[in-house]
Amino acid sequence: MVKLNKSLVGLSLISVLGLGLAGCASGTSTKTGSSASTDKSKAITVVFYPNESAKSFAGSRDALKKSIEKVTGKTVKVQTTTDYNVAIQAIASGKAQLAYMGANGYIQAHKLSKDVEPFAAQSDADGSLKKATYNSYLMVQQKDADKYKADGKFSIKDIKGKKISYVSNSSTSGFLVPTAKITNEFKIKNKDDLTQNGKFFSKVLYGGSHQGSAVNLLKGDVDVAAFDDGDLMPYLKVSEGSWDKVGSTFEVKADAEAPFSSLTGKKVTNIAMMPVQQGPWVYNTKSLSKDDQDKIAKEFTSKEFAQNKEIFSDKDAKTPKLFPKKSEKTQLLKVTDKWYAPTHKLVGY
């Protein structure tokens, strides 16, 4: 993977995933422009992935809506989804003007329409982009965890032939990065083998969201599942280790909301962990006026915005928020397409 401006993000991704892994995610290659009306005086539509469309994040979505309305003076409509591709198509076509996406989904949307541009991403704990990553995991049920050890350490060498759940083939941390890890580890020549039943895995499922992928594992429908940390923090708690340590165990919280409410107490263990570039906030520059672009970008990257407790949450927050605040310095920072060079390398364009 490419190194970006000597960023530690690029370095960490390179060291974990290796080179030559382009094209691990599937996606359309058709290039289209924005087809929505270019009347930029209309209401602003913000589209969310299935993960952030969960009921748990309703408070954060409403706070974002109010924030955008405050700085633009326009009505804001929130579009929730149950499918990654719905969000990707909405922002690429210009039917939605703003979106919060993973890096892979952004790149797919950008390929569909060059009008889709990133403008902000969550910082690291130091308030910079140097280590602005989150964690992608390969998890197993805690009761089976010892089966995935080699020389006393957790390993993925025994996942071949098992049943796996991904999130979506448009997911960065729930598909692109995990499949890159597996491809590199097993030196797989045909990456499509990782998505077909009876090839590398005996069965392949998609959860549709990070929550859905985790539920597939917790219910025992699969042996291994890919999902990230941020989307599962509202539902899982650390029972041994930490979110940043391989071999850690996580338990469904007693007060976890659906779809985890019937899974209280069940445990999963992390057998592999990979860094992922923070996903961007993007806008469609054809269907959103330059004035609104500037106002929203300025608002989202402001210190005041980072202090909004309905949008950013600390580790003790009882109600989940959109962005976990790792420190008081955590905020959104300006990004451009160039910052996503490492993920471009993985995707293959």
Side-chain angles (χ1 to χ4, degrees), residues 38-325:
T38 56
D39 183 355
K40 299 176 183 179
S41 64
K42 291 185 176 181
I44 296 171
T45 297
V46 186
V47 65
F48 290 93
Y49 272 177
N51 316 303
E52 290 75 33
S53 294
K55 181 181 177 181
S56 305
F57 295 106
S60 284
R61 293 194 301 269
D62 188 55
L64 281 161
K65 176 179 182 292
K66 291 177 180 177
S67 180
I68 297 167
E69 288 179 336
K70 178 189 72 176
V71 296
T72 64
K74 294 182 178 178
T75 300
V76 172
K77 298 179 180 179
V78 172
Q79 180 184 352
T80 56
T81 63
T82 57
D83 188 300
Y84 273 59
N85 288 324
V86 170
I88 291 169
Q89 292 291 339
I91 191 67
S93 67
K95 291 180 179 178
Q97 289 73 51
L98 288 169
Y100 178 49
M101 317 183 77
N104 183 22
Y106 150 64
I107 290 169
Q108 290 189 24
H110 184 71
K111 187 178 183 183
L112 287 170
S113 172
K114 294 297 186 290
D115 297 323
V116 179
E117 296 181 3
F119 67 90
Q122 188 177 348
S123 74
D124 57 25
D126 294 325
S128 77
L129 291 172
K130 290 182 178 180
K131 297 179 182 178
T133 61
Y134 61 105
N135 296 320
S136 167
Y137 305 117
L138 287 170
M139 293 264 194
V140 300
Q141 288 200 26
Q142 190 269 338
K143 64 183 180 65
D144 298 323
D146 286 343
K147 299 177 183 178
Y148 298 89
K149 282 186 175 180
D151 300 323
K153 296 182 179 181
F154 284 100
S155 167
I156 67 170
K157 78 178 191 68
D158 290 324
I159 64 172
K160 186 175 183 179
K162 298 295 193 291
K163 294 176 288 185
I164 192 169
S165 175
Y166 301 118
V167 173
S168 160
N169 61 11
S170 296
S171 172
T172 313
S173 53
F175 181 80
L176 178 63
V177 170
T179 54
K181 170 73 173 179
I182 298 166
T183 298
N184 189 45
E185 185 89 5
F186 289 88
K187 295 179 171 53
I188 293 171
K189 294 181 180 180
N190 184 2
K191 64 183 181 298
D192 291 337
D193 288 352
L194 297 179
T195 63
Q196 298 178 26
N197 293 335
K199 293 290 187 176
F200 185 87
F201 293 109
S202 61
K203 187 176 183 180
V204 177
L205 297 181
Y206 291 89
S209 66
H210 288 268
Q211 295 92 326
S213 188
V215 168
N216 282 342
L217 175 63
L218 288 159
K219 285 186 173 180
D221 294 334
V222 295
D223 306 300
V224 185
F227 50 86
D228 70 13
D229 52 4
D231 288 301
L232 272 297
M233 284 180 179
Y235 313 99
L236 303 180
K237 65 179 181 180
V238 177
S239 59
E240 184 179 342
S242 75
W243 287 100
D244 299 317
K245 182 181 178 182
V246 173
S248 297
T249 297
F250 308 88
E251 180 179 349
V252 178
K253 295 178 180 178
D255 59 351
E257 296 182 359
F260 296 87
S261 51
S262 63
L263 299 167
T264 299
K266 287 189 175 293
K267 297 180 179 181
V268 292
T269 298
N270 162 21
I271 63 169
M273 181 177 73
M274 296 76 67
V276 185
Q277 283 192 296
Q278 288 287 0
W281 274 98
V282 306
Y283 39 48
N284 186 303
T285 58
K286 187 173 181 179
S287 61
L288 185 68
S289 72
K290 182 63 167 62
D291 184 49
D292 286 336
Q293 291 171 38
D294 292 342
K295 288 177 179 177
I296 294 168
K298 183 178 179 180
E299 169 70 6
F300 277 30
T301 55
S302 69
K303 297 291 185 181
E304 292 74 20
F305 187 82
Q307 298 304 315
N308 190 325
K309 293 184 178 181
E310 291 300 314
I311 299 173
F312 291 81
S313 65
D314 57 34
K315 62 180 180 179
D316 297 321
K318 293 183 178 180
T319 304
K321 306 300 188 295
L322 199 59
F323 301 113
K325 203 170 182 67

